[in-house]
Amino acid sequence: MIGISKLYCGGAEASDAIRYARYPRPSHSAGAAPARKPVVVWNCTRRCNLRCAHCYSASGQTSGDDELSADQAGALIDDLAGFGVPVILFSGGEPLMRPDIFELIARAASAGVRTVLSTNGTRIDRPAAERLAAAGVGYVGVSLDGLAETNDAFRGEPGAFEAATAGIGHCQAVGVPVGLRFTMHAGNVHEVPAIFDLAQRQGIGRVCFYHLVPTGRADGLADGTLTSDQTRGAMDVILDRTAALHAAGSRLQVLTVDNHADGPYVYLQMLRERAARAAECLELLSANGGNASGVGIGCVRWNGDVLADQFWTTHALGNVRRQPFGRIWSGETRAGQKLLAMLRDRRRHLPDRCRRCRWVEVCNGNLRARAEAATGDAWGDDPACYLREDEIAC
């Protein structure tokens, strides 16, 4: 994640302590676990009441027979807490389709783990919001992909926008922190300003703009991937709107996700503007270290498979039904050793453009899952990098 409001405007964000902490470089032997503990995305169910065009898990109406049971899910939470993960992000599918979701959130919160819920928001009525508050959820991210017509077409369900915005209101009414998640593609990028307007109108405190990753069902959106010029244009709008809001006294948190080229882009813009905070921006980007797949972020799927991130579904590192998460993350399983070792010493494996880029220390080669999806080579170029040759030259 790139904290636009933090880097560009000097705002504060909830995960600053995690995002900008200085960690020792990981050991490269056999993919050994780094000192940094990962944020874990848990796709706790594959079942979903919508059929979103960009769904990386290709979720649907059924979850299959391989979903972790209630007892297995509880044991996983205890395992993750014992390993020291700072955050469990409950995702799916739609996590609120899982009957024991409130108990699982409460179990994690009671163990001292920050809990985040990633949801389409359509199932959050007032009782559900109250149960989330009682469970101790730390934050609820509601996915929207435009205003009503655009969102509902993208998600395959009339009325989804109205239900989701109502769900946001229910969270606000009971004091649950809530924000928006918006995945940018050619069919909705024109509505980025409208998302800012919606956040202002509803008093929403956080907006995350996601760059499309064409995995799962999203591979059907490959033709809708933004061009470099479109991405730069969208980033300019995000920067301008964020700056204007903060100048007017707003404390809206604005972040971009899944494209670490955004960090250098923000810094270069600050240099062009002769911003006094440019040096601090670069320092924070350096502390963050760029893409953290296999290091600072991991994923557990509904069937127990452990992944280096939620998009990289083609490479299971192990399964929590057979080994504890910590052993898998430490590279003790045969399946995980090679990939984890490469991710934790990735500079030697990155493509030429990344290796000669002046920003490799703050980007870390961007998203390898997207490179593989686009090129068939996990160590090929990530096509989402929109920085020009003159901008990456040392």
Side-chain angles (χ1 to χ4, degrees):
M1 286 186 166
I2 304 297
I4 302 299
S5 47
K6 173 73 172 183
L7 299 173
Y8 197 54
C9 303
E13 296 167 359
S15 297
D16 283 351
I18 297 173
R19 191 168 298 122
Y20 304 114
R22 288 282 189 182
Y23 296 97
R25 292 289 184 186
S27 167
H28 306 316
S29 59
R36 180 181 186 179
K37 300 298 184 181
V39 170
V40 173
V41 177
W42 180 22
N43 301 125
C44 60
T45 183
R46 193 179 184 183
R47 189 179 175 197
C48 189
N49 58 320
L50 302 181
R51 188 175 173 81
C52 303
H54 68 330
C55 181
Y56 64 80
S57 63
S59 297
Q61 292 295 319
T62 60
S63 56
D65 299 328
D66 56 354
E67 187 173 293
L68 294 182
S69 68
D71 287 343
Q72 291 168 330
L76 172 62
I77 288 173
D78 294 345
D79 181 26
L80 294 175
F83 186 62
V85 305
V87 180
I88 299 175
L89 191 156
F90 293 83
S91 187
E94 171 48 55
L96 290 174
M97 299 285 284
R98 185 169 174 126
D100 57 353
I101 186 63
F102 301 105
E103 289 78 15
L104 295 174
I105 291 172
R107 186 165 184 157
S110 295
V113 181
R114 175 172 164 79
T115 57
V116 174
L117 181 72
S118 179
T119 173
N120 61 45
T122 62
R123 297 178 63 85
I124 304 179
D125 55 14
R126 180 59 178 262
E130 291 173 347
R131 293 187 72 183
L132 287 170
V137 71
Y139 173 75
V140 173
V142 175
S143 295
L144 287 176
D145 294 290
L147 299 185
E149 183 178 355
T150 301
N151 179 80
D152 294 358
F154 195 61
R155 295 181 171 269
E157 184 67 30
F161 177 85
E162 183 178 356
T165 51
I168 291 170
H170 291 308
C171 287
Q172 291 173 317
V174 299
V176 169
V178 63
L180 296 179
R181 298 179 172 196
F182 178 92
T183 299
M184 299 184 292
H185 62 92
N188 71 355
V189 70
H190 64 283
E191 295 197 353
V192 167
I195 293 299
F196 276 99
D197 294 341
L198 176 65
Q200 286 182 270
R201 191 164 58 246
Q202 287 207 210
I204 296 166
R206 192 173 195 248
V207 181
C208 296
F209 293 96
Y210 285 70
H211 294 263
L212 181 69
V213 183
T215 59
R217 199 153 52 237
D219 63 2
L221 281 178
D223 291 344
T225 300
L226 299 181
T227 66
S228 293
D229 286 344
Q230 288 174 319
T231 302
R232 295 172 78 95
M235 286 297 298
D236 290 343
V237 171
I238 291 168
L239 291 175
D240 289 347
R241 289 298 299 265
T242 303
L245 285 169
H246 277 250
S250 171
R251 292 298 174 261
L252 177 68
Q253 297 178 31
V254 180
L255 302 96
T256 62
V257 190
D258 297 328
N259 193 337
H260 285 274
D262 292 349
Y265 190 80
V266 172
Y267 173 67
L268 289 170
Q269 179 64 21
M270 294 178 76
L271 287 183
R272 285 189 289 268
E273 296 171 355
R274 302 182 183 275
R277 295 189 52 263
E280 180 185 353
C281 171
L282 184 58
E283 172 64 21
L284 290 169
L285 288 170
S286 298
N288 177 263
N291 178 267
S293 299
V295 180
I297 188 166
C299 176
V300 180
R301 303 194 91 196
W302 52 85
N303 65 351
D305 281 348
V306 175
L307 310 174
D309 63 50
Q310 65 269 40
F311 302 106
W312 219 347
T313 59
T314 53
H315 301 279
L317 308 174
N319 190 287
V320 297
R321 283 186 165 110
R322 295 187 290 275
Q323 302 99 6
F325 178 86
R327 285 192 59 198
I328 297 169
W329 203 250
S330 297
E332 296 180 28
T333 61
R334 182 174 298 178
Q337 281 182 356
K338 183 177 180 181
L339 180 59
L340 287 174
M342 293 176 77
L343 285 171
R344 294 167 185 174
D345 189 21
R346 70 171 74 184
R347 306 290 164 79
R348 295 190 299 113
H349 307 288
L350 291 172
D352 176 70
R353 190 171 192 269
C354 289
R355 289 199 305 272
R356 60 184 173 81
C357 175
R358 64 186 289 203
W359 308 113
V360 67
E361 293 289 334
V362 300
C363 172
N364 206 24
N366 223 330
L367 197 60
R368 296 293 94 209
R370 183 165 46 219
E372 184 176 65
T375 70
D377 180 6
W379 300 101
D381 289 328
D382 182 345
C385 179
Y386 54 92
L387 299 177
R388 299 188 305 260
E389 285 296 319
D390 63 296
E391 292 172 327
I392 72 168
C394 293

